[in-house]
Amino acid sequence: MSNKEMSARWQATMQSNYGNPELAFVSGKGSVLVDADGKKYLDFLGGIATSVVGHAHPAIVKAVCAQIKELGHVSNFYMHPRAIELAEKLIGFTGAAKARVFFCQSGAEANEAALKLSRKTGRVQLVATEGAFHGRTMGALSLTGQPAKREPFLPLIKDVKHVPYGDVKAMNRAISRKTAMVIVEPIMGEAGVIVPPLGYLKVLRQLCDERGALLVLDCVQTGMGRTGQWFGFENEGIIPDVITLAKSLGGGLPLGAMIAIGDCSEYFKPGDHGSTFGGNPVSCAASLAAISVIEKRALMKCAIAHEREIKAAFSKIVGVKEVRGSGLLLGIELLEESAARVAQALRAKGILVNAATAKTIRIAPALTVSSAEVAHFISAFASVLKEAHK
Ligand SMILES: *Cc1c(COP(=O)(O)O)cnc(C)c1O
C-alpha cells in the first residue's frame, strides 16, 4: 500500500480530528523512519517526544518480547514485578523520601489523576498558565491554556484561572488559600518550547507552600531525560508535590504516571481512582529498558552536548532569531512566520520536524541521535533558509 492508497483508506475510515496526514510510516530504526513509498526520513520529532531511545531499539524490543511471552496483562486486582520496579526507579529519580506512583496510559490521564488528587485537599480552585498544554480530556482541557482547543467544548471545569506563563506577579495574585493546585510545565512544549525565567519554579514552590496549594509539574514532554535531567525542573532545586509523566516514559509504548510526593502521596484511598491498563507489564518493561539505555549510555549528557552544538550552529544561520529549550527539546524561532513552509521544505529533504507556532520549529529527536545526524539536520536547515532568503 502506497502513501496515496493509505490516505484514501484513512480518509474513508478515520475521524477527521487529525486532518488528513499525507505520510504513512511502515518501519523505523534509530532516528530513521521509512514511509509507505520506501522513502527514508530523519526523525527529528521522535513521535512527538516519545521515542526517547529511537525506533526499534534492541533493548526495548528484547524487553517487550520477553515480557509479552511471560505475561501481557494482569489488571489492577493483582500486582506484578515490572510496575513495582518502575515505580521504585521513578521515586528514586525524584529524590523525595516519600512518594507514590499511579500508572496510566497518557499525559491527559496523568493530569486528570493530579486534578482528582487535588480535590482531596478540600479545595477546588485551580491555577494554570496561558498557552499551556495539559491534554484533551475534559479535566485536562480545563487546565490547558489554549482558547482554540477549549472553546468548542465549553463549559469546562469551573474555577480555573489562567495566568501568563513565567509571570511571578500574576501567580502571586492568582494563588490564594483556596487554591487546590497550581499546574505548570517546566518548559512549555506545545506552545513552542517556551522557557520560563530562571527561578520561576522556585517562587511557585514558595507561593504554594505559603498558601497550602499543591504544586503540580507537568513533565509529560520534558521528562525521561529529554532536557538533560530526568524530569526537567531539577535545575531549580525544588521538589514539587506532583509530577506527571507520559510521552517518552514508555520508550515508545503508551504509558503515563502521576507521582505524588510527601503528604499528598497518601490522599488517594482504595476506590478513589483507577485505570484498567494502568501500569501494564509490557509498557513498564519497555520503560525500564529505556531508562537502562539512558543510564548506561549517559544519554542525558549526550542531549546537553547536542543542545550546545545545535545552539552554536543556529546562532550563525541567517533567518533564525533564537533557539530556546534544553537538551533535545528545542524551539528554533525564525525571524519570519515561515515555520510551516520550512517544515514542509525539510520534509521534502527527508527530515521531520514540527511547526509548533507560525514562527517556531520544534525538534524532539531521540536522545540516541548521532552527531552525524545532528550535523545533517543543521546543514539541511541552513540550506532551506538560504533558499528562502534568495
Ligand atoms: C502531550 C502533552 C500532554 C498530553 O499527553 P497525551 O498523552 O497526548 O494525553 C500533556 N501535557 C504536556 C506537557 C504534553 O506535552
Side-chain angles (χ1 to χ4, degrees):
M1 241 196 301
S2 68
N3 283 317
K4 238 192 176 131
E5 285 163 340
M6 268 201 249
S7 173
R9 286 172 69 177
W10 174 282
Q11 285 188 42
T13 52
M14 300 289 181
Q15 300 263 339
S16 59
N17 57 310
Y18 297 120
N20 293 315
E22 289 162 27
L23 289 183
F25 287 109
V26 293
S27 67
K29 184 83 193 146
S31 287
V32 175
L33 281 169
V34 182
D35 79 5
D37 299 340
K39 182 175 170 177
K40 283 185 179 170
Y41 292 83
L42 186 55
D43 182 8
F44 258 59
L45 193 54
I48 315 190
T50 56
S51 307
V52 67
V53 294
H55 301 285
H57 192 287
I60 304 255
V61 173
K62 191 174 160 209
V64 165
C65 289
Q67 188 58 52
I68 195 84
K69 271 186 198 156
E70 210 167 82
L71 183 63
H73 186 61
V74 291
S75 93
N76 298 302
F77 288 130
Y78 311 100
M79 302 179 281
H80 65 86
R82 296 297 94 72
I84 298 170
E85 289 157 14
L86 181 57
E88 286 170 353
K89 268 276 176 198
L90 296 176
I91 290 169
F93 294 154
T94 69
K98 185 166 110 176
R100 290 173 188 280
V101 180
F102 168 78
F103 284 119
C104 51
Q105 282 68 235
S106 68
E109 280 176 284
N111 289 328
E112 290 287 340
L115 182 55
K116 280 182 74 177
L117 189 82
S118 81
R119 290 286 207 240
K120 293 273 177 168
T121 60
R123 303 175 180 190
V124 298
Q125 292 184 4
L126 308 163
V127 178
T129 57
E130 290 169 8
F133 186 73
H134 298 299
R136 306 273 198 161
T137 54
M138 293 302 265
L141 187 59
S142 304
L143 302 168
T144 290
Q146 301 183 20
K149 294 190 171 70
R150 300 163 55 83
E151 266 155 26
F153 303 102
L154 299 176
L156 295 166
I157 290 181
K158 287 184 295 187
D159 289 326
V160 187
K161 264 189 215 149
H162 285 99
V163 300
Y165 186 71
D167 184 338
V168 164
K169 281 188 188 144
M171 274 290 184
N172 186 29
R173 281 192 298 271
I175 304 169
S176 75
R177 291 188 186 281
K178 289 184 177 169
T179 306
M181 78 177 204
V182 177
I183 184 166
V184 294
E185 295 171 72
I187 294 174
M188 285 206 294
E190 299 298 307
V193 193
I194 311 293
V195 183
L198 199 66
Y200 180 56
L201 299 181
K202 209 171 216 168
V203 174
L204 295 194
R205 178 69 279 176
Q206 283 162 3
L207 292 172
C208 287
D209 283 343
E210 254 171 55
R211 295 163 204 184
L214 297 178
L215 177 61
V216 180
L217 295 185
D218 179 344
C219 304
V220 167
Q221 193 152 156
T222 59
M224 276 298 264
R226 172 156 300 283
T227 55
Q229 323 169 57
W230 279 115
F231 299 112
F233 58 76
E234 291 94 325
N235 57 315
E236 290 266 346
I238 57 150
I239 298 184
D241 300 294
V242 176
I243 297 167
T244 56
L245 296 171
K247 292 212 164 87
S248 288
L249 179 62
L253 271 74
L255 184 64
M258 188 272 286
I259 310 172
I261 295 166
D263 291 345
C264 71
S265 67
E266 312 275 346
Y267 285 1
F268 275 160
K269 298 288 180 250
D272 274 340
H273 199 45
S275 165
T276 298
F277 273 113
N280 170 268
V282 180
S283 295
C284 289
S287 180
L288 285 162
I291 288 170
S292 155
V293 172
I294 293 167
E295 286 179 327
K296 280 191 191 133
R297 288 192 46 196
L299 290 181
M300 291 196 278
K301 276 198 188 131
C302 296
I304 297 288
H306 289 314
E307 173 199 337
R308 295 213 177 104
E309 274 165 68
I310 292 169
K311 282 184 171 167
F314 276 88
S315 71
K316 296 186 202 105
I317 296 177
V318 179
V320 173
K321 187 174 166 215
E322 62 172 355
V323 178
R324 294 183 299 262
S326 186
L328 285 172
L329 178 61
L330 298 174
I332 300 159
E333 172 104 1
L334 307 172
L335 288 172
E336 288 168 24
E337 294 197 341
S338 56
R341 264 184 292 132
V342 168
Q344 190 70 24
L346 283 168
R347 202 183 96 180
K349 284 184 184 291
I351 297 175
L352 301 175
V353 297
N354 160 250
T357 72
K359 283 188 170 182
T360 314
I361 297 285
R362 173 178 48 165
I363 60 167
L367 307 190
T368 48
V369 69
S370 71
S371 291
E373 287 164 335
V374 169
H376 176 65
F377 164 73
I378 292 167
S379 73
F381 204 113
S383 78
V384 162
L385 285 190
K386 208 168 180 179
E387 281 158 32
H389 285 267
K390 256 188 197 153

